Amino acid sequence: MKNKGLTKVDLIFESIDIMKVMKKAFEMTSDEIIQQILESGLKGRGGAGFPTGLKWKYTAAEKDPEKYIVCNADEGEPGTFKDREILDKVASKVYAGMTIAGKAMGARKGFIYLRGEYRFLLPQLFVELHKFHKLINEIGYDFSIEYRMGSGAYICGEESALFESIEGFRGEPRNKPPYPTVSGLFSKPTSINNVETLVTAVMIIEKGANEYFKLGTKDSRGSKVFSISGDTPIPGIFELELGMTVQEFVNEFGDGDTKAVQVGGASGFCVPRKKFGETIIGFEGVPTGGSMKLFNSSRSMYNLLHNYLDFFAEESCGQCTPCRVGCQQLLKGVEKVKKGEAKSTYLNELVKLADTMKVASKCGLGQSVGNAFKSIVENFREEIIY
Amino acid sequence: MYQTGNMVKELAEKHGRKRESLMPILQEIVRKHNYLTDDVMVAVATELDISAAEVYGTASFYTFLDTQERGKNVIRVCKTITCSMKGKNDIVSTLEDILKIKVGETTPDKMFTLLETNCIGWCHKAPAILINDMPYTDLTPETVIDVVKGYMR
C-alpha cells in the first residue's frame, strides 16, 4: 500500500476571502458545485465517512421545495475537540460552507446544532453570524442560519437523533431508510454535514477539486483535522494529510513509550504497538473523526475499556434492547472477569455479544461499541483478566 | 423551589408554541433557575398544549435539563478517559473537600452542585470542568480552588 508519511497541512484554519469564494460558488450551477465535491473525493469528516458529494447530490435530486442544510456541531465523541476550534477560529467558513451546500441542493435554511458543552462560544458565534447574514443580504442572496443547542446527550450527534432533538423530542435515532436526504429535519430532504466537512467543501471550491484530490490516498482523499490527546508532549489540534501510518503518527506525537493509540474515540479502534507500522489512519485502515488518544505503558487498558463501557452504558439512548442491555452487560462482564467472578473464557461470550450488538443495534452507537471492545480485548486480553 | 409566575408564558411568546419550541424553552428555564420543577414542566405543557408526560419525558432524556434540584452553580467534572488519566480524581476530591459535599449533592446554601459528566471536549487540556456554561481547563487541585472561590461571592 502506498504510504504518504506525515505531512502538516493548513487548509481548514487558513484565512480566506469568504465573499470571493461564495461569489465563485454562486457563479457555478448546482451541478457544477456537486461535481467539484464529488471529484475531490471528500468523505464526511464526522467519522462515518459518507461521500459528501453524494449526500448533496441526493438531496438536490429531491423535488420538495423546502429543504434543509444542517451542520452537526454536536461533537461528543471522547477525544474530539476540533469542531470547537474550527467554530471558534473560522466560524464564517462554516457559514459559507452551509450557504454553498444550500445553493448546491436548493436549501434556503440552515441549522447548526451545537452541543450544550460549547454554549460559552455562542455570543461570539452570534456576532459572526450577524456579520455573515449582513454580507449575504448585501448581495441579495436568500439564505439564513439558526443555532439550536444540545443539552448533554452524546447520542444527538447521530443524525436522526439530532433531528428529533431539534424538533423538540427525546434524541432517539430513527429507523433508516428513509435517509435524511429524502426525509430528514421536519421530514424534509436534508443534508447533514459535520463542521469540518463544510469548511473542507469551501476550500475545495476555493482551490479546485483537482488540488484537493492530490492530497491523501485512494480511499482517503485530502487532509483532516486531528484532535490529539493523552500521553503526548504536544496535545492539541493538528491538520494532517491523510494516509500516514500509526507508526509515523506516533513518531511525531508519542512520548517515546506509546503502548496503544485509540483512533476514532470510544467508538473507534484501539491499535496496539505491534500493529503501528501496518495500520493506516484513514478509511483503508482505521477511520477517524479526528480523535487520536495516545497511551503509554504506564496505563491500564482495563481502565480504558471500563471508562469507555461506562460512557456507552450512560449514553445509550435506551431505545433498542441490543444497545441498552448490551452496553450494561459488557460493563458488568469485564468487571466480573477482572474480579475473578467469571472465568477468562467469559470474555469470548462478551465478544459474541459485541458482535450481536453490531448487527442488531438500531444506530451507530450500539453498532460501534464492539469496535473498541474487541480491539482492546483482543490485543490486551491479559490486562483485562489480571 | 422557585416561582414560575409569567416566565413560561413569556418564554412561549419568545420561542413559539410549537413542539420544536420545547427545547429552547426548557433550556432557557434551566439557564435561569438551574433545574426544572414539576410545576414549571406542567406550566410548559399547558402553554404548548401537550401532555406533561411529554415535557418530562423529553427533559429527563437530556443530562443538562435537570429535573432534580440544583444549586446556583453546577460544577460538572469531566470523567472521560483523558481527564481521568490526568488527575480527575484529585480534582473531584478537592472539590468535595472545599464544598463539603459528595458528587451528586448540592450544598445546603444551594450555591453549588457537584456532578461528573462525560467528555466535554477539552482532552488536550485535561483535566477540565464546566461551571454552568464556562469551561476551566489544565486544572490542578490548587487552581480549581481558585476557580471555585470566584463563584463563592
Side-chain angles (χ1 to χ4, degrees), chain A residues 67-69 98-99 101-103 105-109 141-143:
Chain A
K67 299 178 189 179
Y68 298 107
I69 166 80
M98 293 176 74
T99 312
K103 150 94 182 167
M105 58 207 192
R108 298 286 177 191
K109 179 98 202 163
Y141 190 71
D142 172 24
F143 185 77

Side-chain angles (χ1 to χ4, degrees), chain A residues 79 81 84 115 119 149-152 165-171 229-230 293 295 307 310-311 314-315, chain B residues 19-20 22-23 27 31 57-58 61-64 79-82 85-86 118-124 133:
Chain A
F81 37 85
R84 186 200 65 233
R115 70 185 306 216
R119 184 182 269 278
M149 297 305 299
S151 273
S165 183
I166 293 184
E167 292 178 22
F169 296 92
R170 296 162 68 88
S229 68
K293 294 188 170 204
F295 301 95
N307 192 283
D310 183 60
F311 174 84
E314 277 186 15
E315 297 293 349
Chain B
R19 180 67 195 232
E20 66 258 33
L22 179 60
M23 287 285 284
Q27 284 166 341
R31 277 171 63 72
T58 305
F61 184 86
Y62 295 93
T63 317
F64 286 10
K79 64 170 179 175
T80 306
I81 188 70
T82 311
M85 279 163 38
K86 306 265 172 174
N118 286 323
C119 189
I120 56 173
W122 290 96
C123 319
H124 56 323
D133 291 342

Side-chain angles (χ1 to χ4, degrees), chain A residues 146 244 293:
Chain A
E146 280 181 35
M244 71 203 130
K293 294 188 170 204

Side-chain angles (χ1 to χ4, degrees), chain A residues 157-259:
Chain A
E158 197 280 341
E159 53 191 17
S160 62
L162 188 153
F163 300 148
E164 289 290 311
S165 183
I166 293 184
E167 292 178 22
F169 296 92
R170 296 162 68 88
E172 292 176 345
R174 301 172 181 169
N175 281 320
K176 290 181 222 173
Y179 292 98
T181 53
V182 177
S183 177
L185 184 60
F186 301 117
S187 305
K188 297 291 179 187
T190 304
S191 177
I192 174 163
N193 298 104
N194 168 262
V195 174
E196 183 187 349
T197 309
L198 290 162
V199 176
T200 308
V202 170
M203 297 313 288
I204 290 166
I205 299 296
E206 151 102 6
K207 309 263 179 205
N210 292 341
E211 278 303 303
Y212 192 77
F213 192 79
K214 285 179 193 162
L215 296 173
T217 64
K218 184 173 145 286
D219 292 324
S220 310
R221 291 288 166 200
S223 55
K224 167 105 202 61
V225 184
F226 288 89
S227 312
I228 300 167
S229 68
D231 294 313
T232 165
I234 41 170
I237 292 141
F238 297 85
E239 187 173 4
L240 305 170
E241 184 176 356
L242 287 167
M244 71 203 130
T245 63
V246 177
Q247 186 63 59
E248 285 158 338
F249 176 84
V250 166
N251 292 347
E252 179 80 13
F253 296 101
D255 63 356
D257 185 26
T258 307
K259 165 162 89 172

Side-chain angles (χ1 to χ4, degrees), chain A residues 43-177:
Chain A
K43 291 181 182 175
R45 294 304 191 221
F50 191 82
T52 307
L54 280 182
K55 216 180 240 187
W56 291 10
K57 189 178 165 181
Y58 294 154
T59 313
E62 291 296 317
K63 296 280 176 268
D64 200 312
E66 214 178 325
K67 299 178 189 179
Y68 298 107
I69 166 80
V70 175
C71 170
N72 188 342
D74 193 52
E75 181 178 52
E77 190 62 49
T80 322
F81 37 85
K82 46 113 188 158
D83 291 339
R84 186 200 65 233
E85 186 85 353
I86 293 171
L87 282 165
D88 191 20
K89 297 277 159 62
V90 289
S92 61
K93 285 170 87 171
V94 179
Y95 303 152
M98 293 176 74
T99 312
I100 292 171
K103 150 94 182 167
M105 58 207 192
R108 298 286 177 191
K109 179 98 202 163
F111 288 93
I112 301 178
Y113 187 88
L114 183 69
R115 70 185 306 216
E117 290 83 343
Y118 293 170
R119 184 182 269 278
F120 72 99
L121 286 175
L122 213 49
Q124 176 203 330
L125 292 172
F126 278 147
V127 172
E128 294 276 334
L129 184 59
H130 183 69
K131 273 194 241 167
F132 185 82
H133 279 153
K134 245 176 98 179
L135 210 63
I136 52 173
N137 279 343
E138 275 169 21
I139 56 166
Y141 190 71
D142 172 24
F143 185 77
S144 66
I145 296 170
E146 280 181 35
Y147 274 93
R148 287 290 182 276
M149 297 305 299
S151 273
Y154 167 75
I155 188 58
C156 289
E158 197 280 341
E159 53 191 17
S160 62
L162 188 153
F163 300 148
E164 289 290 311
S165 183
I166 293 184
E167 292 178 22
F169 296 92
R170 296 162 68 88
E172 292 176 345
R174 301 172 181 169
N175 281 320
K176 290 181 222 173

Side-chain angles (χ1 to χ4, degrees), chain B:
Chain B
M1 291 287 281
Y2 52 89
Q3 295 304 313
T4 55
N6 283 330
M7 172 180 64
V8 173
K9 203 178 187 67
E10 284 162 15
L11 287 175
E13 297 293 335
K14 178 176 167 188
H15 295 289
R17 290 181 166 81
K18 293 184 192 156
R19 180 67 195 232
E20 66 258 33
S21 317
L22 179 60
M23 287 285 284
I25 290 173
L26 296 180
Q27 284 166 341
E28 202 161 329
I29 297 170
V30 170
R31 277 171 63 72
K32 209 175 272 175
H33 294 289
N34 317 308
Y35 71 107
L36 302 163
T37 60
D38 289 356
D39 285 351
V40 88
M41 285 188 277
V42 170
V44 171
T46 308
E47 205 60 55
L48 265 53
D49 197 19
I50 53 178
S51 140
E54 287 284 334
V55 177
Y56 177 75
T58 305
S60 59
F61 184 86
Y62 295 93
T63 317
F64 286 10
L65 299 179
D66 286 304
T67 51
Q68 278 172 289
E69 184 168 15
R70 299 296 188 214
K72 183 168 174 240
N73 300 295
V74 179
I75 305 177
R76 296 175 201 270
V77 182
C78 176
K79 64 170 179 175
T80 306
I81 188 70
T82 311
C83 285
S84 181
M85 279 163 38
K86 306 265 172 174
K88 165 235 141 191
N89 285 346
D90 294 340
I91 301 298
V92 168
S93 56
T94 304
L95 289 171
E96 286 179 337
D97 281 351
I98 60 164
L99 299 173
K100 299 184 180 63
I101 51 172
K102 295 285 173 205
V103 170
E105 294 176 351
T106 299
T107 54
D109 64 0
K110 315 284 183 211
M111 277 296 281
F112 291 95
T113 298
L114 180 61
L115 302 170
E116 289 187 340
T117 193
N118 286 323
C119 189
I120 56 173
W122 290 96
C123 319
H124 56 323
K125 295 183 176 179
I129 64 171
L130 280 177
I131 302 186
N132 308 325
D133 291 342
M134 277 311 293
Y136 296 90
T137 61
D138 280 322
L139 293 168
T140 64
E142 291 75 36
T143 57
V144 78
I145 291 176
D146 291 340
V147 167
V148 169
K149 277 186 177 160
Y151 285 83
M152 283 180 171
R153 279 164 236 137

